[in-house]
Amino acid sequence: MRTRPLKVALLGCGVVGSEVARIMTTHADDLAARIGAPVELAGVAVRRPSKVREGIPPELITTDATALVKRGDIDVVIEVIGGIEPARALITTAFEHGASVVSANKALLAEDGATLYAAAEQHGRDLYFEAAVAGAIPLIRPLRESLAGDKVNRVLGIVNGTTNFILDRMDSSGAGYSEALDEATALGYAEADPTADVEGFDAAAKAAILAGIAFHTRVRLDDVYREGLTEVTAADMASARRMGCTVKLLAICERAADGKSVTARVHPAMIPLSHPLASVREAYNAVFVEAEAAGQLMFYGPGAGGSPTASAVLGDLVAVCRNKLAESTGPGESAYSRLPVSPMGDVVTRYHISLDVADKPGVLAQVATVFAEHGVSIDTVRQQGKDGEASLVVVTHRAPDAALSGTVEALRELDTVRGVASIMRVEGE
Amino acid sequence: MRTRPLKVALLGCGVVGSEVARIMTTHADDLAARIGAPVELAGVAVRRPSKVREGIPPELITTDATALVKRGDIDVVIEVIGGIEPARALITTAFEHGASVVSANKALLAEDGATLYAAAEQHGRDLYFEAAVAGAIPLIRPLRESLAGDKVNRVLGIVNGTTNFILDRMDSSGAGYSEALDEATALGYAEADPTADVEGFDAAAKAAILAGIAFHTRVRLDDVYREGLTEVTAADMASARRMGCTVKLLAICERAADGKSVTARVHPAMIPLSHPLASVREAYNAVFVEAEAAGQLMFYGPGAGGSPTASAVLGDLVAVCRNKLAESTGPGESAYSRLPVSPMGDVVTRYHISLDVADKPGVLAQVATVFAEHGVSIDTVRQQGKDGEASLVVVTHRAPDAALSGTVEALRELDTVRGVASIMRVEGE
């Protein structure tokens, strides 16, 4: 074994960074044995240098992250700051100065992964980011490597723990969205500003990363259709239950049936209780991958948290250090397929639509005509009358989303339709 | 991209091999793009050269596998023959003659993986074998690489599809073992000679491989405690149901609580219906991995079959070819921990014991005394009388297996115990 240590710079020392530093110290012998050389924490860039950081020698702490990545003796930079800047500038600077990079930064990778990949390749460095998607669950490496000889057709999963916690609470207790969000916040599952989670930005970033890797095509955050869960109501959840379903916020990346385009989207959807994703509780994540030869695979585990995310970071650290010792690099960007990313309107899906209608003869016929005019075939209708008003619950067969949303718009125009109480896609069947 | 192709020799052209050859042809462009060079099937060694093999040019077929691996121009040998010899000799010869090896051979890896690793290292070649365990489910790579920065404490899973199919049928239809085996055979899930599956040899080989990688310690097939499922009865299954459990054939690899030894075992066990493994149906496989930082991860998918296994082989082929182009190698054997493998008697587990006893006062007291004398604490007892005889169903708390089996032996000696109707371990709680 080489005795000269590989030097690691840690950018960010919050929940994940401090856990990475802790494990690097407590498991130093194991890491050395697995890498073939010791690894040494050579510097830790933080914003608040005065904060006491247990186990980290104070002389390693710096507020000058740029100077740290420019030192020239750093072998690997671990970036757990998050956000676009200064993370992007620090990562590209690190590549320029001889370091490989392990990052957990989903937002940056989804926004501008291509720039990072290009910089890594230009300087012959590694860019690894298992921790960016679904915490400790191995997903990037299986997609990038294990399935490299297969053709992935679909990735479908729960990739945001906060929203899964909220929906699980709504499902199990009948709580409304606000109440469930309050509980998630109180228990530390939701941040003070939950926007990134509840509006689906976090899941959409992960969908972009997964789609890009799965389909060997560049997919950016802007390419991902996104709906959060703030409009999911207790009534929607109850309606899902009546259908033998529950509601999950899903990230879905699909290759079109003709293979010539792909789509990526994040939205709440009803899935049957018999589907394995329906039983993913609390803040857990789970991702289905469908590949031509492999069939259907599922990966499940804790999708966030300091320790699980640190596990993923350290797995990448070992890989990157091994590559460094072997003077090689792991797989870089694979975007050779260059498939276009189709808009949401082209996605083939199913709708569950709940309408408040006038309780008089002929309404169902009118409604059914609108569906037919848009080429949307109806699977089931449930009609319920109450005091001169009635509700109609329609579940469609599969149709392009544009036709489905066009149908809903036309339904709103009908005099006999008093309102559209809820619309939700149905997946996983 | 390099235009000179990498040359691949395929040893074996059965269900898996023919699918590997087919995908190499139909997906040649994708493989080339992902590897960075085309791959060419340079030879296929078979036993029966007269058999028509669709899509494989007849001039590639040979019966002389040794000559094929000795050719000197082969970059990668794919070994899907199975068994110990001639597979072992062919693999080591391949290394000597410049090739890296992708193998699906669980029996050989469990029997003598150390020899193969040593030969690969001596000649600077790669040995990859994702397909040896759980078909297409990425498991070897996640354990070897994704979790390389973590400490795995437990691997628990269903790694044999045939036996899971049999137990699933017994559970869902109330069928006995023989009847369920017949159905599995008729549907092609069991081989004509099902010994390797139903006696647990296949699962034990996989347990040895998983334990070795998970614990960075050499574990051989002989180190794995093994019980098959041939003695699981319809009554056992019914008894499990009454306890809110089902019966699965589990492979369990554990690090002892003090961290100083490991165990690996395969046996039928009752697991609660609420455990995710309980709902793994038909011939599917699923494996839980518990690691210190990552927490509990689960991997699920088809555990066998030509296409899924070929997917795993081709993923490895891409990795090995990339390494070849980069003039590097992937991770080799990691057995630095050198932990002793403890015998079954040291494993801490729980027993579900069903006794036929005389229906008279004092029997329970006698039985309870035997448990106490062996230091085994009882969790629950259910007593049921019928016509002068009675049955006692005892579920213990956790205790060393030696104490539990010692208890059972002592119970057999009691005059009032007419027989031990069944003994089964209880896991997953």
Side-chain angles (χ1 to χ4, degrees):
Chain A
M1 178 157 43
R2 180 176 121 159
T3 52
R4 187 162 53 84
L6 289 154
K7 292 191 177 176
V8 176
L10 182 59
L11 311 184
C13 198
V15 177
V16 176
S18 57
E19 188 64 6
V20 167
R22 189 190 67 76
I23 297 175
M24 279 184 67
T25 307
T26 55
H27 290 52
D29 291 347
D30 282 316
L31 291 172
R34 296 173 193 182
I35 290 167
V39 278
E40 175 189 297
L41 198 55
V44 181
V46 301
R47 270 186 308 185
R48 286 174 297 153
S50 55
K51 193 174 157 191
V52 175
R53 295 167 204 277
E54 207 183 330
I56 298 178
E59 65 273 20
L60 295 184
I61 303 285
T62 173
T63 54
D64 192 345
T66 306
L68 179 58
V69 300
K70 278 186 174 173
R71 260 172 53 171
D73 65 336
I74 302 296
D75 294 291
V76 184
V77 168
I78 295 175
E79 183 271 307
V80 286
I81 304 173
I84 308 301
E85 292 293 357
R88 176 167 49 197
L90 289 168
I91 290 173
T92 51
T93 306
F95 289 140
E96 287 162 17
H97 289 79
S100 283
V101 173
V102 174
S103 171
N105 194 330
K106 54 199 152 267
L108 175 55
L109 282 154
E111 175 74 25
D112 197 14
T115 296
L116 303 186
Y117 275 127
E121 191 176 348
Q122 187 193 335
H123 298 283
R125 310 293 167 211
D126 268 328
L127 171 64
Y128 275 57
F129 49 88
E130 183 66 76
V133 181
I137 309 173
L139 207 51
I140 303 297
R141 187 174 275 103
L143 281 172
R144 241 186 3 173
E145 304 182 40
S146 307
L147 291 163
D150 207 331
K151 185 177 179 187
V152 176
N153 288 320
R154 196 157 190 251
V155 178
L156 177 148
I158 296 166
V159 294
N160 179 275
T162 305
T163 50
N164 200 59
F165 183 90
I166 292 170
L167 289 168
D168 185 26
R169 276 297 179 276
M170 289 175 70
D171 184 50
S172 57
S173 73
Y177 164 71
S178 305
E179 196 184 329
L181 172 60
D182 288 347
E183 194 182 343
T185 311
L187 291 169
Y189 286 115
E191 292 179 45
D193 175 1
T195 312
D197 292 318
V198 301
E199 295 293 355
F201 289 102
D202 175 84
K206 291 164 178 170
I209 296 170
L210 291 174
I213 295 173
F215 305 135
H216 299 269
T217 277
R218 215 167 266 175
V219 180
R220 288 173 47 127
L221 183 57
D222 288 348
D223 298 321
V224 182
Y225 174 82
R226 180 189 52 76
E227 264 178 49
L229 53 57
T230 54
E231 287 172 25
V232 177
T233 63
D236 289 331
M237 197 56 93
S239 190
R241 275 277 155 187
R242 275 194 297 275
M243 276 183 66
C245 289
T246 188
V247 177
K248 294 291 186 187
L249 186 76
L250 299 180
I252 307 174
C253 313
E254 285 174 317
R255 192 188 291 275
D258 67 3
K260 291 182 182 158
S261 62
V262 298
T263 53
R265 54 191 163 117
V266 167
H267 55 71
M270 291 185 182
I271 56 168
L273 292 175
S274 59
H275 194 284
L277 289 181
S279 50
V280 175
R281 315 303 299 268
E282 307 210 314
Y284 278 85
N285 283 195
V287 177
F288 265 82
V289 177
E290 286 174 28
E292 202 173 80
Q296 205 172 54
L297 307 171
M298 188 173 81
F299 303 81
Y300 168 93
S307 291
T309 309
S311 171
V313 166
L314 289 162
D316 279 353
L317 176 67
V318 170
V320 167
C321 287
R322 281 174 177 165
N323 291 345
K324 198 100 188 182
L325 291 179
E327 294 178 359
S328 69
T329 53
E333 183 179 30
S334 177
Y336 71 91
S337 290
R338 298 174 193 280
L339 296 168
V341 185
S342 300
M344 188 62 199
D346 290 359
V347 171
V348 175
T349 179
R350 297 174 65 201
Y351 271 29
H352 172 280
I353 305 166
S354 186
L355 303 170
D356 292 327
V357 297
D359 189 9
K360 56 183 186 183
V363 173
L364 178 55
Q366 267 194 326
V367 166
T369 303
V370 171
F371 278 90
E373 283 169 358
H374 288 79
V376 174
S377 165
I378 291 173
D379 181 11
T380 59
V381 180
R382 200 174 64 238
Q383 200 166 186
Q384 220 168 2
K386 44 166 192 189
D387 311 330
E389 294 211 347
S391 74
L392 267 186
V393 176
V394 180
V395 181
T396 74
H397 280 299
R398 284 163 56 82
D401 204 82
L404 291 160
S405 59
T407 307
V408 173
E409 287 319 300
L411 289 171
R412 287 187 204 275
E413 301 296 311
L414 289 183
D415 287 345
T416 47
V417 171
R418 307 253 161 93
V420 179
S422 89
I423 313 164
M424 199 169 295
R425 295 182 186 87
V426 182
E427 298 287 338
E429 290 176 310
Chain B
M1 181 162 33
R2 178 176 123 160
T3 52
R4 185 161 55 83
L6 289 154
K7 292 192 178 175
V8 176
L10 182 58
L11 309 184
C13 198
V15 178
V16 176
S18 58
E19 188 64 9
V20 167
R22 190 190 67 75
I23 297 175
M24 279 184 67
T25 308
T26 55
H27 290 53
D29 291 348
D30 281 316
L31 292 172
R34 296 173 192 182
I35 290 167
V39 277
E40 175 189 295
L41 198 56
V44 182
V46 302
R47 270 185 308 184
R48 287 173 297 153
S50 56
K51 192 175 158 189
V52 176
R53 295 166 204 276
E54 208 183 328
I56 298 178
E59 66 272 20
L60 295 185
I61 303 283
T62 174
T63 54
D64 192 344
T66 305
L68 179 57
V69 301
K70 278 187 173 173
R71 262 172 52 172
D73 66 337
I74 302 295
D75 294 290
V76 184
V77 168
I78 296 176
E79 183 271 307
V80 286
I81 305 173
I84 307 301
E85 291 294 355
R88 176 167 48 197
L90 290 168
I91 290 175
T92 50
T93 307
F95 289 139
E96 286 162 18
H97 289 81
S100 283
V101 173
V102 174
S103 171
N105 194 330
K106 53 198 151 267
L108 176 54
L109 282 154
E111 176 73 24
D112 197 14
T115 296
L116 303 185
Y117 275 127
E121 191 178 350
Q122 187 193 336
H123 298 283
R125 311 294 166 208
D126 266 329
L127 171 65
Y128 275 57
F129 48 87
E130 183 65 77
V133 181
I137 309 173
L139 206 51
I140 302 296
R141 188 173 273 102
L143 281 172
R144 245 192 349 180
E145 303 183 40
S146 307
L147 291 164
D150 208 332
K151 186 177 178 187
V152 176
N153 287 321
R154 197 157 189 248
V155 178
L156 177 148
I158 295 165
V159 295
N160 180 276
T162 306
T163 48
N164 200 59
F165 183 90
I166 293 170
L167 290 168
D168 185 27
R169 277 297 178 278
M170 289 175 69
D171 184 50
S172 57
S173 73
Y177 164 72
S178 306
E179 196 184 329
L181 172 62
D182 288 347
E183 193 182 343
T185 310
L187 292 168
Y189 288 113
E191 292 179 45
D193 176 0
T195 311
D197 293 317
V198 301
E199 295 293 355
F201 289 102
D202 175 84
K206 292 164 177 169
I209 296 170
L210 292 174
I213 295 173
F215 304 135
H216 299 267
T217 276
R218 213 167 269 176
V219 180
R220 288 173 49 126
L221 182 57
D222 288 349
D223 298 321
V224 182
Y225 174 83
R226 179 189 53 76
E227 265 177 49
L229 53 56
T230 55
E231 287 172 26
V232 177
T233 62
D236 289 331
M237 197 57 93
S239 190
R241 275 278 155 187
R242 277 195 296 275
M243 273 184 69
C245 289
T246 188
V247 177
K248 295 290 186 188
L249 187 75
L250 299 180
I252 307 173
C253 314
E254 287 174 317
R255 193 188 290 275
D258 66 4
K260 292 183 183 159
S261 64
V262 298
T263 53
R265 53 191 164 118
V266 167
H267 55 71
M270 291 186 183
I271 56 167
L273 291 174
S274 59
H275 194 283
L277 290 181
S279 52
V280 175
R281 315 303 299 269
E282 308 210 313
Y284 278 86
N285 283 194
V287 177
F288 265 82
V289 177
E290 287 174 27
E292 200 174 81
Q296 206 171 53
L297 306 170
M298 187 175 81
F299 303 81
Y300 168 93
S307 291
T309 309
S311 171
V313 166
L314 289 161
D316 279 352
L317 176 67
V318 170
V320 168
C321 287
R322 282 174 177 164
N323 291 345
K324 198 100 187 180
L325 292 178
E327 294 177 1
S328 69
T329 53
E333 184 179 30
S334 178
Y336 70 90
S337 288
R338 298 174 195 278
L339 296 168
V341 185
S342 300
M344 187 63 198
D346 290 359
V347 170
V348 175
T349 179
R350 298 173 64 199
Y351 270 30
H352 172 279
I353 304 165
S354 186
L355 302 171
D356 293 326
V357 296
D359 190 8
K360 57 182 188 186
V363 173
L364 178 56
Q366 267 193 325
V367 166
T369 303
V370 171
F371 279 89
E373 283 168 358
H374 287 81
V376 174
S377 163
I378 292 174
D379 180 12
T380 59
V381 180
R382 201 174 63 240
Q383 198 165 189
Q384 220 168 2
K386 45 167 191 188
D387 310 331
E389 294 211 347
S391 73
L392 265 186
V393 176
V394 180
V395 182
T396 73
H397 280 299
R398 284 163 57 81
D401 204 81
L404 291 159
S405 60
T407 307
V408 172
E409 288 318 300
L411 290 170
R412 286 187 205 276
E413 302 296 310
L414 289 182
D415 287 344
T416 47
V417 171
R418 308 250 162 95
V420 179
S422 89
I423 314 163
M424 200 169 294
R425 295 182 185 87
V426 182
E427 297 287 338
E429 290 177 308

